[in-house]
Amino acid sequence: MSADQQHGFGTRAIKAATRPPRVEQVPASVPIYQTATFHARDVEDYAGLVGFERQGYTYARIENPTADAMAAAFAEMHGAEAGFAFGSGMGAVHAALVSLLRAGDRILCTRAVYGSTRALMERVLARLGVEVVFVDPVDLGAVERELATAPTRLLYAETISNPTIVVADLARLAELGHRHGAVVVVDNTFASPYLCRPLELGVDIVVESATKWLGGHSDVIAGVVAGTTERIRAVREVAIDTGGIVAAFSAFLVLRGMQTLHVRMDRHSQTALALATRLERAPGVGQVAYPGLASHPQADTAARQLHSGGGMLALELASRDAAAAFINGLTIPPVTATLGSVTTYAVHPPSATHRQLDEAQLRAAGISPGLVRISVGLEDAADLLADVDAALAAATRVGQGA
Ligand SMILES: Cc1ncc(COP(=O)(O)O)c(C=O)c1O
């Protein structure tokens, strides 16, 4: 009788049902390592692994092979040395910032950024003694003046701003930031690595919400950070101590999305350009901001920095009511607040993604009451154009008081 056979049923059942199969062949997709822990050979082996003296796995809040595969894929797409994958975009932004900041430090942040990023800086980090100053990223003179005003630890920007679709000149910002001793962190969510690779432009750390274009199907919440090995080591330390790592299944979904990113982004860009062109000529529509339009205020930067215009655009309608009527009048996009998906979404930022901002802050960030942000999906372009035409007619009637 073997030692195992001497054990009771329960002990044998647990052993039997937790024995991973040995697989010699390479699977077509990255397996989901749905496990909380990994077993070491002995106490000394465990200590070596958990102390990062050797590569290996111990506890899935620290590292997990599926999460590592997602981080490595993101790093490779960005030409980075290393990456770390998080349970959300905000988890990624948080860890990137906290890995760099101490009480008393100063952040210079571009004026239109995602509402929760702003809240993280103004509510959470400010409470811990970090000063935050907002600046218009297009006004490089103002950026330089602010950098010269006081020592600045961190310059933060979005490649394409949420929700105003301002395109930041990342090479210039990186150069200015470095000249004044700031670490430059960029949220590249709206662009994705297919459109833009900020590290190649001199940026130090790139962050993305993988919930958006990377995942691409509105079925996962995840985030990711990439940069040098040294910077990512500091990010990983924050992730471990705050429990930020992505779940294995979420990482699997992001890895699946990444494989079709280039094909999806080409189509998103193509349809978004058609929509932006139509909206630009439509009566009752103010400024249409789309990086692929010649009329975009930063069209030159966009042409230099972005592979294509991408899937995000913004339009100005006459009022908050007109924006609501437009969104309510659309039949294809559901009323919700995300982006970067096969599904088209139209969002009213003042009442959704940027609800944390009061009227004065919205104005200062360049977000008008009638602003609508559209994330263009993969539906048939003709259907979206017809839907937008009909919804605009409804919005115009509101504008005319009908
Ligand atoms: C630009 C940008 N960064 C970060 C985030 C946060 O991502 P998540 O919702 O995955 O936490 C978002 C979410 O909308 C975003 O738009």
Side-chain angles (χ1 to χ4, degrees):
M1 216 193 253
S2 76
D4 267 3
Q5 283 166 325
Q6 287 163 14
H7 288 140
F9 180 84
T11 309
R12 282 188 284 122
I14 291 165
K15 283 275 185 220
T18 54
R19 201 170 287 128
R22 280 193 194 285
V23 180
E24 305 260 321
Q25 293 71 33
V26 177
S29 64
V30 177
I32 301 166
Y33 282 86
Q34 186 60 40
T35 184
T37 60
F38 300 82
H39 301 172
R41 273 194 315 278
D42 50 32
V43 170
E44 292 73 23
D45 185 40
Y46 189 88
L49 290 168
V50 82
F52 295 114
E53 285 159 25
R54 253 179 308 79
Q55 166 62 33
Y57 297 95
T58 53
Y59 186 57
R61 177 166 53 76
I62 296 175
E63 274 183 314
N64 171 289
T66 321
D68 277 0
M70 171 184 156
F74 181 75
E76 197 170 327
M77 284 176 172
H78 274 288
E81 287 175 12
F84 197 90
F86 288 83
S88 72
M90 285 318 301
V93 173
H94 166 265
L97 296 184
V98 171
S99 74
L100 294 164
L101 294 167
R102 304 265 179 289
D105 279 347
R106 180 175 192 258
I107 303 177
L108 185 58
C109 178
T110 52
R111 65 180 192 149
V113 288
Y114 176 51
S116 285
T117 301
R118 188 173 175 131
L120 169 66
M121 291 180 185
E122 283 193 310
R123 293 190 198 160
V124 182
L125 298 178
R127 222 168 41 223
L128 304 177
V130 172
E131 185 197 356
V132 186
V133 178
F134 293 96
V135 69
D136 180 353
V138 173
D139 187 348
L140 293 173
V143 173
E144 177 133 48
R145 272 195 303 284
E146 278 298 343
L147 286 167
T149 302
T152 303
R153 173 70 179 143
L154 203 154
L155 176 59
Y156 189 93
E158 291 179 351
T159 305
I160 303 172
S161 73
N162 183 356
T164 44
I165 318 294
V166 169
V167 179
D169 187 334
L170 299 183
R172 291 284 289 128
L173 287 178
E175 191 255 311
L176 283 178
H178 291 158
R179 200 184 319 148
H180 291 271
V183 180
V184 182
V185 180
V186 165
D187 181 335
N188 196 52
T189 299
F190 272 32
S192 87
Y194 183 59
L195 256 61
C196 181
R197 289 174 292 282
L199 301 179
E200 290 174 1
L201 301 168
V203 165
D204 300 301
I205 295 182
V206 63
V207 182
E208 283 183 31
S209 166
T211 313
K212 318 302 182 194
W213 302 114
L214 289 174
H217 294 74
S218 298
D219 54 8
V220 62
I221 300 280
V224 69
V225 181
T228 60
T229 306
E230 198 185 333
R231 292 208 185 281
I232 297 304
R233 193 174 297 128
V235 169
R236 184 179 66 179
E237 277 172 18
V238 177
I240 291 170
D241 292 338
T242 56
I245 197 168
V246 70
F249 184 54
S250 300
F252 170 85
L253 289 174
V254 173
L255 284 163
R256 191 162 71 154
M258 283 171 163
Q259 297 167 48
T260 55
L261 178 70
H262 57 301
V263 184
R264 287 185 285 109
M265 289 314 293
D266 279 345
R267 181 67 175 271
H268 288 299
S269 294
Q270 198 186 322
T271 309
L273 179 60
L275 267 187
T277 306
R278 176 78 133 252
L279 285 164
E280 196 173 37
R281 295 178 192 143
V285 178
Q287 203 209 340
V288 175
Y290 179 65
L293 286 178
S295 62
H296 190 285
Q298 296 88 46
D300 288 349
T301 309
R304 242 184 302 119
Q305 200 170 271
L306 305 177
H307 174 77
S308 59
M312 301 303 301
L313 63 94
L315 61 143
E316 305 238 2
L317 294 176
S319 65
R320 191 177 263 267
D321 287 348
F326 174 70
I327 293 170
N328 290 336
L330 291 166
T331 61
I332 296 174
V335 178
T336 186
T338 189
L339 64 106
S341 177
V342 293
T343 305
T344 296
Y345 299 113
V347 170
H348 181 234
S351 54
T353 51
H354 291 70
R355 65 195 176 282
Q356 300 94 334
L357 280 65
D358 61 28
E359 287 299 326
Q361 286 173 323
L362 285 170
R363 239 191 335 274
I367 302 170
S368 66
L371 189 76
V372 175
R373 187 194 82 187
I374 300 183
S375 168
V376 180
L378 297 182
E379 301 92 342
D380 293 288
D383 294 337
L384 289 173
L385 287 167
D387 204 25
V388 159
D389 284 348
L392 269 183
T396 309
R397 281 197 294 277
V398 166
Q400 291 163 349

